[in-house]
Amino acid sequence: RISLRLALFKIVTPLGLASGFLNNTPIFAMAIPVILRWCRTVQYAPSKLLMPINNALILGGTITLIGTSTNLIVSGLAESDQTLVDKEGNPLSFGIFGITKLGVIYFGIGVIYVVIFAPIDAMLPARQTYDSQIAEHAKEYMVSMRVSSKAKTVINQTVESAGLRHLRGLFLVEIQRGPSIIPAPAPDDRIEEGDVLVFSGQIDTVVDLYKRDAGLVPIQTEGEEPMLSPRFTHSLYEVVVSPNSLLLNGRRIRDVGFRQQFGAAVVAVASSSGSLIMNQKLGDIELHGGDTLLVEAGPRFYRRWGRNPNFALVYPLKDSSPPRDDWPHIIVSLTIAAAMVAIAAAEVTGIYTTAIVAALAMLLTGCQNIRESGAAIDIPVMLTIALAFGVGKSIETTGAGAAIANFIVWWLKPLGAIGVLFAIYVVVAILTSVITNNGAVAIMFPIVSGILKDGSVSDLDPYAALYVLMLAGSASFSTPIGYQTNLMAHSAGAYQFSDWVRFGLGLQIVLMIAGVLGAFFLY
């Protein structure tokens, strides 16, 4: 199997670079299920990977101005303060790639440390995740998947080369090819278009299979029309049959008419007795109270049927949608994103105007709908950015910012600009470890502004100081509470607080030296 460090390099490099242009929270949200599935396949503990990958995503956000909201807060505060000027006396202006030459160094050194030098085995124990704990007692499903013409990863591949052998928690029971059956397929058996692959596995591995390839289509009840909505809008739900259900108890699945009754399709059944249901067509299975159904349905299924008396429980399986096989919209969305970055970089118009126009273009071209757009708006982040201006103004008008700035200048003036830059980084890095990164820079900006306006540290470049403020604001590596992706990694990797301190402290020191020295010599 691939080495842990090589795997880390292959994962963190593209994800980190992508986070320089896209919000790292949805990137990490999409990556976590894939990483967990891969860890199950190669039998690596997720705790060895998730924290380093999370750190790389945070570092990637420092490559451009739009990589993280922290950068936007600092640039917005600086540009709105007309008394802040550069060394030539011009108002400060932050281009989208203004921080890039420093951010690339910061990102590169962080990745090199994580991938090559960090003692991962010693610092990050193999934690048992919640999924692995419940998997020991999970029920098993039998599920059949038809190989459609879109199943590019398996057509004309052997069982071995298609990656369908030695799957943890999942077993390929047989291949149905027309009237013939290939039981317990050998590694060199070849898969053809139109084959039906019959698997036995636990729920998490069945979900992984469902998401693996949009061309692997679950076999549903015969005689029912397929759902009209695109498959990528569907998700999987576990539904437990109520013992008191008159509609379901004692009836075959085909007689219930799940599509007409509930707008859902049954794709697998787990018997309440715990035994596998084999050698029986899905539609012919008779339901009993306590049986668990795996159904495919649209996003409104839980809202409509979550409290229906026919079901003892309806449980939506998170991140269970199949991959979106919609290349026209994928190409259009990437084109719009690239155009947004190019226009902002050329300074044809402001970043905020360009972003609004790009969002409208996504709506008009059908790349996303109003509901998805509304769900993507992070209200807490927007409020933090808006309130940061008020916090900064308050600290400035009360004189608190100037007083603290004067103290720092008096104390560190003998060390010159580099001493002040180290002080800014240390204070902000400590703040961002215990409060949010946006809150940390909002508190510290008026103090940095006061130092710059004081003028006593003559060799301190305004851009160097503000870029260090941006980098330190993103340096939330030592605790799980400093950034939202930290909390996501903490939960998925089953980390303890001490893991963050052990692994993050060394990275924090390395990055502080790289960031401060880089800013001092580049600006």
Side-chain angles (χ1 to χ4, degrees):
R1 64 178 180 175
I2 188 172
S3 72
L4 178 65
R5 294 188 184 275
L6 180 59
L8 267 177
F9 175 75
K10 290 185 174 183
I11 295 171
V12 302
T13 303
L15 290 184
L17 293 175
S19 69
F21 301 92
L22 303 171
N23 189 330
N24 52 19
T25 302
I27 291 176
F28 199 39
M30 291 185 290
I32 285 175
V34 179
I35 294 166
L36 293 178
R37 180 171 68 242
W38 182 79
C39 286
R40 283 195 295 268
T41 302
V42 300
Q43 299 186 21
Y44 274 133
S47 58
K48 301 286 186 183
L49 291 163
L50 288 174
M51 192 184 297
I53 293 170
N54 170 68
N55 291 346
L57 281 170
I58 294 174
L59 290 169
T62 65
I63 293 175
T64 68
L65 188 67
I66 61 173
T68 175
S69 57
T70 307
N71 296 358
L72 293 172
I73 288 177
V74 174
S75 66
L77 289 169
E79 290 177 353
S80 66
D81 189 343
Q82 298 300 314
T83 61
L84 272 179
V85 294
D86 61 19
K87 289 195 169 183
E88 283 73 40
N90 301 314
L92 298 180
S93 178
F94 295 84
I96 188 172
F97 294 116
I99 193 176
T100 300
K101 58 184 178 181
L102 175 60
V104 167
I105 295 172
Y106 193 72
F107 171 74
I109 290 176
V111 168
I112 290 171
Y113 173 82
V114 166
V115 172
I116 299 177
F117 296 108
I120 295 175
D121 288 329
M123 289 184 171
L124 296 177
R127 304 287 186 194
Q128 187 178 24
T129 64
Y130 174 74
D131 288 344
S132 63
Q133 293 174 27
I134 64 173
E136 299 174 3
H137 308 287
K139 58 179 71 68
E140 288 197 348
Y141 289 94
M142 292 288 293
V143 60
S144 301
M145 311 285 282
R146 185 178 302 280
V147 180
S148 75
S149 59
K150 295 182 178 180
K152 306 301 183 185
T153 61
V154 298
I155 292 179
N156 296 325
Q157 300 290 318
T158 64
V159 172
E160 184 87 47
S161 62
L164 299 179
R165 187 158 177 87
H166 303 306
L167 295 173
R168 187 178 181 185
L170 190 69
F171 175 65
L172 180 57
V173 177
E174 63 185 26
I175 299 176
Q176 299 174 1
R177 183 172 297 156
S180 62
I181 294 177
I182 305 174
D188 57 351
D189 281 333
R190 197 164 292 275
I191 300 169
E192 299 178 3
E193 181 181 343
D195 285 352
V196 174
L197 311 179
V198 181
F199 294 91
S200 166
Q202 297 168 348
I203 184 60
D204 56 342
T205 56
V206 171
V207 171
D208 291 344
L209 180 67
Y210 179 79
K211 296 175 59 178
R212 181 189 184 96
D213 189 326
L216 292 176
V217 183
I219 299 294
Q220 301 167 1
T221 309
E222 295 179 2
E224 290 192 337
E225 293 295 324
M227 289 184 281
L228 298 178
S229 53
R231 279 197 69 218
F232 64 80
T233 65
H234 301 169
S235 297
L236 293 178
Y237 300 80
E238 277 194 300
V239 175
V240 180
V241 176
S242 170
N244 302 319
S245 172
L246 298 178
L247 177 64
L248 304 178
N249 260 318
R251 300 184 66 189
R252 296 183 305 172
I253 291 177
R254 73 169 69 254
D255 297 331
V256 173
F258 258 82
R259 186 71 43 76
Q260 293 76 23
Q261 293 282 353
F262 306 108
V266 179
V267 298
V269 180
S271 171
S272 58
S273 66
S275 59
L276 280 173
I277 301 173
M278 304 184 68
N279 302 321
Q280 192 173 6
K281 289 185 176 180
L282 187 62
D284 294 333
I285 296 173
E286 187 175 291
L287 298 177
H288 301 282
D291 287 350
T292 304
L293 314 179
L294 190 64
V295 303
E296 177 183 335
R300 294 188 179 89
F301 180 80
Y302 182 75
R303 194 160 55 246
R304 292 187 62 188
W305 306 109
R307 298 183 180 277
N308 188 276
N310 290 294
F311 306 132
L313 176 69
V314 176
Y315 180 71
L317 299 173
K318 294 182 179 179
D319 302 313
S320 62
S321 297
R324 181 168 183 163
D325 190 13
D326 183 11
W327 281 104
H329 280 108
I330 291 173
I331 293 171
V332 169
S333 63
L334 290 175
T335 303
I336 292 172
M340 178 192 74
V341 173
I343 292 171
E347 298 184 356
V348 175
T349 184
I351 293 174
Y352 304 106
T353 303
T354 309
I356 291 171
V357 172
L360 289 174
M362 293 285 191
L363 282 173
L364 293 175
T365 55
C367 294
Q368 62 182 12
N369 55 41
I370 294 291
R371 182 180 59 81
E372 291 169 337
S373 300
I377 297 174
D378 196 329
I379 299 298
V381 170
M382 291 183 66
L383 286 174
T384 302
I385 293 173
L387 294 173
F389 290 87
V391 171
K393 194 65 178 178
S394 299
I395 294 176
E396 182 180 1
T397 54
T398 58
I404 298 173
N406 290 335
F407 173 76
I408 292 175
V409 169
W410 170 79
W411 188 44
L412 295 172
K413 189 175 180 179
L415 299 178
I418 199 164
V420 174
L421 293 177
F422 270 110
I424 293 171
Y425 194 101
V426 170
V427 173
V428 177
I430 292 172
L431 283 175
T432 201
S433 296
V434 294
I435 62 175
T436 66
N437 52 353
N438 292 330
V441 297
I443 291 172
M444 195 63 184
F445 175 80
I447 298 170
V448 175
S449 174
I451 294 172
L452 294 172
K453 292 173 186 177
D454 178 87
S456 299
V457 186
S458 58
D459 57 341
L460 180 61
D461 187 276
Y463 286 108
L466 293 171
Y467 284 143
V468 165
L469 178 60
M470 292 181 188
L471 297 183
S474 296
S476 51
F477 307 115
S478 303
T479 69
I481 59 177
Y483 195 64
Q484 55 263 43
T485 59
N486 290 21
L487 292 172
M488 295 163 64
H490 188 75
S491 175
Y495 292 111
Q496 296 181 3
F497 194 94
S498 57
D499 297 335
W500 291 90
V501 177
R502 276 198 309 271
F503 190 78
L505 195 57
L507 178 63
Q508 192 77 273
I509 294 171
V510 169
L511 290 174
M512 176 182 66
I513 296 170
V516 170
L517 294 181
F520 180 76
F521 288 109
L522 290 175
Y523 299 98

